[in-house]
Amino acid sequence: MGQKTVRLTMAQALARFMTRQMTVIEGEKVPIFGGVFAIFGHGNVAGVGEALYAVRDELPTYRGQNEQGMAHAAIAFAKASFRRRFMAATTSIGPGALNMVTAAALAHVNRLPILLLPGDVFANRGPDPVLQQVENFGDGTVSANDCFRPVSRYFDRITRPEQIMPALRRAMEALTDPAECGPVTLSLCQDVQAEAYDYPESFFEEKVWRTRRVLPDADEFASAAVALQKAKKPVIIAGGGVLYSEASEALRTFAENHGLPVMETQAGKSSLPHDHYLNMGSVGVTGTSAANQLAEEADLVLAVGTRLQDFTTGSWALFRNEDLEIVGLNVQPFDAGKHGAMPLVGDARTTLEALDASLGGWLADQDWTDSALKGKAEWLEAAGRATAPTNELPSDAQVIGAVQRARDNSILVCAAGGLPGELHKLWQAKGPGSYHLEYGFSTMGYEIAGGLGVKLARPYDDVVVMVGDGSYMMLNSEIASSIMLGAKLTIVLLDNAGYGCINRLQMATGGANFNNLLKDTYHEVLPQIDFAAHAASMGAVAKKVASIAELEAALKETERETRTTVLVIDTDPLITTEAGGAWWDVAVPEVSDRKQVNAARKDYEQALKDQKHV
Ligand SMILES: Cc1ncc(C[n+]2csc(CCOP(=O)(O)OP(=O)(O)O)c2C)c(N)n1
Ligand SMILES: [Mg+2]
């Protein structure tokens, strides 16, 4: 007696398999794939397209406008779902596929799951070279899709129909394992998508995926507990792993029981509510004065679920205590041992709970905790001044204040430009996930598309996207998708006529104002872009406002609006919040004819002395 089989094309088997993968959210069994974003062309319309049509009631397909944008939306869906659910994205071969590579890298850096399904050239090579095929003179196995290899957690090219079975099983492991989690690319040769095979019925049995919670090794755990008990000035850095592990409650209990101040990375912000007394806010280059003072003095950093990127560590010049120990609590060993940290490999929630129990009544020095509370009060005053309303051309911070006052309960989405730093410092996040920043790759053009993915994941929440004029110009077309899907976003567009943050960085490194603000570019005509008219042409409710007061009024008026709304406001490209912050390593030229560069180089060499190398 052989196995029971069903005759399907490879693409049909893929689609059917995806509909059978489930997970449990708040006690309810739901499909783990939230849907598929697709732009069809040659290389996926006939095979994958036909298969997705057949399962459209169980696994919805959404039409994107741009492959990068649609993949951003899919990735944001996973991030807003705390990686419990995710989506797939499928493209045609060649340009369609390669448009998605940047998004693959974004997911890779941010450790976010997405199943990428680019079409590929014919496995049988019969019609070569096909339209959009990149021919390689020296290697017949290379196609455009090899560009996905370095930015995929798992990559496979499907050249035979039965190969989809082990590939999909491996894909699901990589997508759901908390340590490995990231993008998976299954590159689907066009002819193989359409080829039939007798697949065993067992391949399509329903499977329920649950969060894997890894317990720490006994020795690592004991060493970490000893290090903590020795510490007098300990702090916690909360990264994105706290949110993905749904460890906010465990973090709060641990911090309260032992008197540890908590500071948050971009991905970790909203781990604790902003007004929790031990939440010092953001840390590092875009950190609050409260957090950074403590980081400078700390003798122990418990780094939870963080990659410790340079914005967090001030390029490793932030921590000044000679006796500093770092305990790296992370589910991924790659991160846990960074920069000589004592690794504590484990799930954030379970490990924090276990540490809490094992530390008993141990408390950080009372003076330390008291100084944290004092530092926070001082910071809040400075932040209040930065975000207060104005009648003049506003700063980014003043726009942030207006959005906060008008839409306090929304999910805030952003990614690149000057805004992330200001938001990191100043946005007052409430519940876990209410602050959604893509700052691992900081990809211009994530904002609006990302907002769409957040709205699909959390349809009952109000989603506010804040975006600069530069990022808007780079990728705005998923506004049309948000209108099509009835997924309402409120987009606040800050127009400072150029790349404000890079212009400021250019000045800070001694450079001439060159090629960043539109006025400093080579041009025959200075562009005067009517962003409101542009957004309205895609179906959005759009309005240009003339002041902070008008912005607040418009934000309140449009709260009940059901269509995506774009509010445009002019801002000052030169002002940022001076309070807080820390050094960031940006290499300044060693020789230059500009005296401003020479001066900046001198300061740079001085600053490098504080950088720690391990
Ligand atoms: C895809 C991409 N290209 C280039 C950059 C480098 N970059 C970072 S911010 C920025 C300018 C952003 O301009 P805008 O959105 O107007 O924000 P602003 O700096 O004015 O606040 C640039 C070019 C990037 N992060 N992503
Ligand atoms: Mg700008």
Side-chain angles (χ1 to χ4, degrees):
M1 264 225 334
Q3 267 181 309
K4 264 199 166 166
T5 59
V6 50
R7 192 157 180 80
L8 298 170
T9 68
M10 180 269 268
Q12 290 161 359
L14 162 74
R16 185 177 295 195
F17 176 89
M18 285 169 68
T19 64
R20 306 286 155 86
Q21 309 307 305
M22 312 298 279
T23 191
V24 177
I25 308 277
E26 286 169 16
E28 203 187 319
K29 196 167 73 178
V30 292
I32 201 162
F33 283 97
V36 182
F37 268 103
I39 293 181
F40 294 145
H42 112 92
N44 73 336
V45 69
V48 168
E50 191 263 355
L52 288 176
Y53 176 76
V55 298
R56 66 195 181 284
D57 292 337
E58 297 153 272
L59 180 70
T61 293
Y62 304 118
R63 226 299 292 276
Q65 315 301 325
N66 166 294
E67 289 86 357
Q68 183 185 349
M70 75 179 187
H72 285 173
I75 295 162
F77 175 92
K79 183 173 166 73
S81 306
F82 304 117
R83 314 197 301 188
R84 296 288 171 275
R85 300 183 71 212
F86 37 80
M87 298 180 83
T90 177
T91 72
S92 57
I93 78 162
L98 292 196
N99 267 357
M100 205 159 63
V101 174
T102 307
L106 184 161
H108 192 275
V109 172
N110 287 286
R111 318 285 167 81
L112 292 168
I114 179 171
L115 180 59
L116 301 167
L117 302 170
D120 207 336
V121 297
F122 281 72
N124 68 23
R125 313 266 170 89
D128 281 11
V130 297
L131 175 71
Q132 302 172 320
Q133 178 165 354
V134 178
E135 294 180 276
N136 187 297
F137 295 168
D139 187 344
T141 68
V142 167
S143 86
N145 288 1
D146 286 280
C147 294
F148 283 99
R149 286 180 192 271
V151 287
S152 296
R153 203 67 74 197
Y154 174 65
F155 176 93
D156 205 351
R157 176 173 285 119
I158 309 302
T159 57
R160 294 180 61 92
E162 64 271 39
Q163 198 188 335
I164 196 71
M165 291 186 285
L168 277 171
R169 294 217 187 278
R170 174 72 191 101
M172 289 306 297
E173 281 299 337
L175 291 165
T176 58
D177 180 75
E180 233 198 329
C181 188
V184 169
T185 303
L186 299 183
S187 186
L188 306 175
C189 290
Q190 136 154 219
D191 49 344
V192 186
Q193 288 176 36
E195 244 176 272
Y197 181 79
D198 295 311
Y199 290 94
E201 292 265 16
S202 58
F203 181 60
F204 303 108
E205 273 166 19
E206 186 179 288
K207 170 132 179 125
V208 181
W209 297 87
R210 290 170 203 276
T211 310
R212 181 175 293 143
R213 294 197 179 273
V214 178
L215 295 173
D217 168 76
D219 285 345
E220 285 187 1
F221 184 82
S223 306
V226 169
L228 273 160
Q229 274 161 331
K230 272 204 318 220
K232 304 246 174 303
K233 300 174 169 184
V235 298
I236 297 174
I237 296 182
V242 173
L243 293 169
Y244 304 143
S245 166
E246 295 177 287
S248 289
E249 193 54 33
L251 174 70
R252 189 182 59 75
T253 308
F254 183 86
E256 286 176 3
N257 285 351
H258 308 289
L260 270 74
V262 176
M263 43 199 71
E264 298 173 323
T265 70
Q266 283 279 17
K269 192 171 162 91
S270 78
S271 289
L272 292 184
H274 75 95
D275 55 0
H276 187 281
Y277 70 103
L278 287 168
N279 188 353
M280 300 294 116
S282 57
V283 64
V285 179
T286 53
T288 68
S289 55
N292 284 350
Q293 276 159 16
L294 296 170
E296 282 186 17
E297 279 184 57
D299 61 1
L300 184 132
V301 170
L302 177 58
V304 188
T306 163
R307 298 163 51 238
L308 291 172
Q309 63 133 307
D310 61 349
F311 263 74
T312 303
T313 63
S315 305
W316 290 104
L318 177 60
F319 311 110
R320 300 287 166 94
N321 192 321
E322 304 243 307
D323 302 321
L324 173 71
E325 290 260 34
I326 302 174
V327 175
L329 167 50
N330 206 295
V331 79
Q332 170 56 259
F334 182 89
D335 297 307
K338 273 181 180 162
H339 280 260
M342 297 171 60
L344 178 57
V345 175
D347 167 62
R349 189 210 280 178
T350 14
T351 309
L352 282 173
E353 284 167 356
L355 269 179
D356 180 39
S358 100
L359 290 175
W362 169 74
L363 269 176
D365 276 7
Q366 189 61 44
D367 289 354
W368 178 244
T369 315
D370 288 348
S371 78
L373 304 188
K374 191 160 153 274
K376 178 164 180 183
E378 285 164 10
W379 167 256
L380 287 178
E381 272 183 32
R385 282 193 293 276
T387 52
T390 178
N391 293 321
E392 318 208 329
L393 184 65
S395 64
D396 288 359
Q398 287 161 334
V399 176
I400 290 169
V403 175
Q404 187 96 58
R405 289 187 293 274
R407 295 282 186 88
D408 196 24
N409 283 318
S410 50
I411 301 178
L412 197 286
V413 184
C414 190
L419 277 166
E422 296 293 89
L423 287 163
H424 194 210
K425 280 184 185 177
L426 301 169
W427 185 258
Q428 302 186 330
K430 292 196 158 170
S434 61
Y435 180 82
H436 182 117
L437 251 283
E438 189 284 284
Y439 210 64
F441 215 42
S442 189
T443 312
M444 289 170 75
Y446 176 85
E447 297 88 346
I448 291 169
L452 171 60
V454 174
K455 188 69 182 173
L456 292 180
R458 297 173 62 164
Y460 303 112
D461 284 317
D462 186 47
V463 178
V464 176
V465 175
M466 290 185 77
V467 63
D469 55 310
S471 262
Y472 181 91
M473 287 302 283
M474 208 169 276
L475 222 177
N476 53 62
S477 51
E478 302 310 328
I479 287 178
S481 312
S482 82
I483 305 279
M484 281 161 66
L485 295 173
K488 187 236 173 156
L489 309 174
T490 301
I491 299 166
V492 180
L493 195 165
L494 289 81
D495 183 5
N496 58 11
Y499 299 159
C501 71
I502 308 297
N503 177 58
R504 292 192 300 271
L505 184 59
Q506 188 168 48
M507 291 192 290
T509 51
N513 298 66
F514 172 57
N515 204 45
N516 282 310
L517 297 183
L518 293 175
K519 70 175 177 54
D520 303 323
T521 58
Y522 175 82
H523 57 264
E524 299 287 337
V525 177
L526 188 66
Q528 298 281 346
I529 301 160
D530 186 343
F531 289 103
H534 181 267
S537 76
M538 283 184 277
V541 176
K543 186 175 171 182
K544 170 117 189 211
V545 297
S547 65
I548 287 290
E550 267 190 37
L551 175 64
E552 266 184 75
L555 281 164
K556 286 198 185 113
E557 262 165 42
T558 56
E559 195 166 359
R560 302 260 160 267
E561 176 60 57
T562 51
R563 248 187 316 156
T564 287
T565 303
V566 179
L567 301 173
V568 184
I569 185 165
D570 288 341
T571 52
D572 191 320
L574 297 177
I575 312 173
T576 51
T577 303
E578 275 174 26
W583 180 71
W584 183 37
D585 189 346
V586 176
V588 180
E590 206 167 346
V591 291
S592 170
D593 293 338
R594 281 178 64 78
K595 62 179 191 310
Q596 297 93 325
V597 173
N598 299 332
R601 174 73 195 189
K602 248 192 170 162
D603 293 347
Y604 177 62
E605 284 174 7
Q606 190 58 34
L608 279 177
K609 293 184 180 147
D610 289 326
Q611 198 171 41
K612 285 179 195 55
H613 298 274
V614 287

